[in-house]
Amino acid sequence: MNKIGTPADKNQSFLKREDHYKNLIRKLNAERKKIYGGGGESAVAKHKAKGKLTARERIAILLDNEKDFFEINTFAANNMYEEYGGAPSAGTIIGIGKVCGQYHMIVANDATVKAGAWFPVTCKKNLRAQEIAMENRLPLIYLVDSAGVFLPLQEDIFPDKEHFGRIFRNNAVISSMGIHQLAAIMGPCVAGGAYLPIMSDETLIVEGEGSVFLAGAHLVKAAIGEVIDNESLGGAKVQSNISGVTDYIVKNDKECIDSIRRLTEKKLSTPKAGFNRTESQPPLFQPSEIYGILPDDPLKPYEMYELLARITDNSEIDEYKAGYGKTLITAYARIDGWSVGIIANQRSIVKSETGEMQVGGVIYSDSADKAARFIMNCNQKKIPLLFLQDVTGFMVGSRAEHGGIIKDGAKMVNAVANSVVPKITIIVGNSFGAGNYAMCGKAYDPRFIFAYPNSKISVMGGSQAGSVLLDIKLKQAEKLGKHFSPEEKTKLLQEILNSYNDSSTPLYAAARLWIDEIIDPALTREYISRAIEIADNNPDFQKFNVGVIQT
């Protein structure tokens, strides 16, 4: 093992960067607190007046320890549906926590947000919860309380492959995999949404509040002229004692959750993958120092080894091919005792063995070749992979093209795509273009993907994109006989940059589920450790095969 890192020089520059990051965290936590309020005080009061618990209260009582809830996609739908009054967290809470000693994926409708109606991102969020459950063999608990599809946006949620119906298809597949699903109907459960709890393995229903039917009383009257109330149509007693649709009747939310725990604790414990873990050792340096190490401008260089020194056990790594392909760091290490293979973009300017100065954050042929081989080694040894992204893309230009950058980049992408060990990705800074793919972006099936608050996700950097987009706009205008003064060009460029940068932020990405969560850099070790512990629940590995690779 090689010791890495140096004590932080807490000079003015360090303190300035630290303040910048702490301010980002404060803003993020303020937004998170707002989201935790669901549909607002009035909606919460109306909900509780019915004697019902909020979605977050239900989860807190369900879990062995509410503080250990590993929430995913908190910022889903952030600023996306403001014309409809907003949809905090897409009106659904998902996350992983222990119930009776076993990890479960928990999905809870927040009925204080538009009566728990499903927006397009709500559907996507539920599909992500099921995907995580399948990948990590986690049993699911659904706490259902939803008015169904948000009708003004029905065309974006109903008919396509990744729309509403895919959830019920997944219910069937998950059950066939032997993964237990338990649903509690704690409020309305309408139309197509009725299939989710009924396609689960067991279903509870709360008397007086829970109801489940394909069409509610109003629609039944409109469709066939029958006059009936919702309770008589599909209430707890009807669906449990007459139709046999549901399995257990409970009196209220508290009794429902107690029943879930009693049913859960009787399940057989699942086998583990058995990823290598030893006793955890803290880093030699404080993780909170990451705030002052990272630049306030994501394009500025910094030393990735210093960040690694604040997340790895004993600030130690075994670096693979340390002197080759220096713009990528490939190393074995332990994080909270877990054995991991780290692939991290080196952001400082480095000098190759041939004397060439290489730009930090850029993937060159040698670094791509090295990473591909390292990924293969980790798969052979069943070591989980950790990608720390701060990548501006692959090297371009005649020298890179003649050297086969596309061929070597394809090797790396092939190895990432076919990797069978758990992959965890953290976007530390930049995530641009094909670099996002090679460093295991969302399209490459990381078990979890997180981002730091100062990260940027886009097809290219803002300045490059701004220049290209400005050129396109100017040429379009010229065709129409319009010409811009230098001042107008400057103003137009700034407008383009502002728009482009706004769509490159982690909040923008989190709202659309391109990432699972925006995390506090000081908690990086905790997130990595928990992600591997959750991944350890799936003992099944496919055979690793990279297919055809050009050499």
Side-chain angles (χ1 to χ4, degrees), residues 224-243:
I224 63 173
E226 182 181 0
V227 178
I228 191 170
D229 62 78
N230 283 340
E231 187 66 24
S232 302
L233 181 66
K237 288 184 178 179
V238 170
Q239 296 293 27
S240 294
N241 300 340
I242 298 175
S243 70

Side-chain angles (χ1 to χ4, degrees), residues 8 10 39 67 85 96 99 107 120 132 151 161 181 186 241 248 282 289 291 308 404 419 423 461 494 501 537 541:
K10 298 188 178 180
K67 293 181 180 177
I96 300 158
V99 180
V107 181
I132 291 171
L151 289 177
K161 181 180 178 180
Q181 298 172 93
M186 307 177 84
N241 300 340
Y248 308 93
E289 290 178 353
Y291 299 149
L308 293 177
S419 180
K423 297 172 288 192
Q494 192 57 53
N501 289 332
N537 281 274
F541 284 96

Side-chain angles (χ1 to χ4, degrees), residues 52-66:
K52 298 168 71 171
L53 298 170
T54 65
R56 291 190 181 277
E57 287 172 337
R58 289 167 177 169
I59 292 170
I61 296 171
L62 176 63
L63 295 173
D64 296 349
N65 183 350
E66 63 176 289

Side-chain angles (χ1 to χ4, degrees), residues 284-301:
L284 299 180
F285 311 98
Q286 287 296 320
S288 60
E289 290 178 353
I290 295 174
Y291 299 149
I293 290 168
L294 295 172
D296 48 5
D297 178 354
L299 291 175
K300 290 180 180 177

Side-chain angles (χ1 to χ4, degrees), residues 289-493:
E289 290 178 353
I290 295 174
Y291 299 149
I293 290 168
L294 295 172
D296 48 5
D297 178 354
L299 291 175
K300 290 180 180 177
Y302 64 94
E303 190 59 56
M304 179 59 81
Y305 289 102
E306 295 296 341
L307 189 150
L308 293 177
R310 285 150 181 88
I311 65 172
T312 58
D313 288 14
N314 283 323
S315 301
E316 292 177 329
I317 62 173
D318 279 316
E319 190 166 2
Y320 175 79
K321 293 186 182 290
Y324 179 72
K326 291 182 179 181
T327 62
L328 267 181
I329 299 167
T330 50
Y332 300 105
R334 289 194 182 275
I335 295 176
D336 196 25
W338 293 104
S339 171
V340 295
I342 297 172
I343 301 167
N345 300 109
Q346 169 62 303
R347 280 304 313 280
S348 65
I349 296 174
V350 299
K351 189 175 183 180
S352 70
E353 292 304 305
T354 61
E356 178 191 5
M357 300 304 292
Q358 296 186 332
V359 180
V362 176
I363 301 175
Y364 290 76
S365 281
D366 52 1
S367 47
D369 177 71
K370 175 175 78 168
R373 179 62 180 268
F374 181 71
I375 291 166
M376 294 178 194
N377 286 340
C378 287
N379 274 270
Q380 187 181 60
K381 295 191 277 189
K382 299 296 185 285
I383 297 174
L385 287 163
L386 170 64
F387 292 83
L388 296 176
Q389 280 199 20
D390 197 340
V391 58
T392 52
F394 284 89
M395 191 57 189
V396 296
S398 60
R399 184 171 180 177
E401 296 293 355
H402 298 171
I405 185 64
I406 296 176
K407 176 183 66 176
D408 291 318
K411 284 185 203 174
M412 183 178 176
V413 170
N414 193 319
V416 172
N418 287 297
S419 180
V420 297
V421 296
K423 297 172 288 192
I424 299 150
T425 301
I426 300 178
I427 302 173
V428 172
N430 303 297
S431 181
F432 295 161
N436 171 282
Y437 305 153
M439 291 295 291
C440 197
K442 186 69 180 288
Y444 286 77
D445 298 322
R447 295 286 181 97
F448 297 96
I449 179 167
F450 307 117
Y452 283 178
N454 206 34
S455 57
K456 292 285 183 184
I457 305 166
S458 58
V459 73
M460 64 179 73
S463 59
Q464 296 95 325
S467 177
V468 172
L469 291 169
L470 177 64
D471 188 52
I472 292 170
K473 280 186 175 292
L474 292 177
K475 285 180 179 177
Q476 289 173 338
E478 285 173 5
K479 287 181 180 179
L480 298 173
K482 185 178 180 180
H483 298 278
F484 292 90
S485 67
E487 293 78 14
E488 288 174 325
K489 288 181 183 179
T490 300
K491 183 182 178 182
L492 182 58
L493 177 60

Side-chain angles (χ1 to χ4, degrees), residues 206-225:
V206 177
E207 191 172 1
E209 286 297 335
S211 58
V212 54
F213 32 65
L214 292 181
H218 290 294
L219 186 55
V220 165
K221 183 179 179 181
I224 63 173

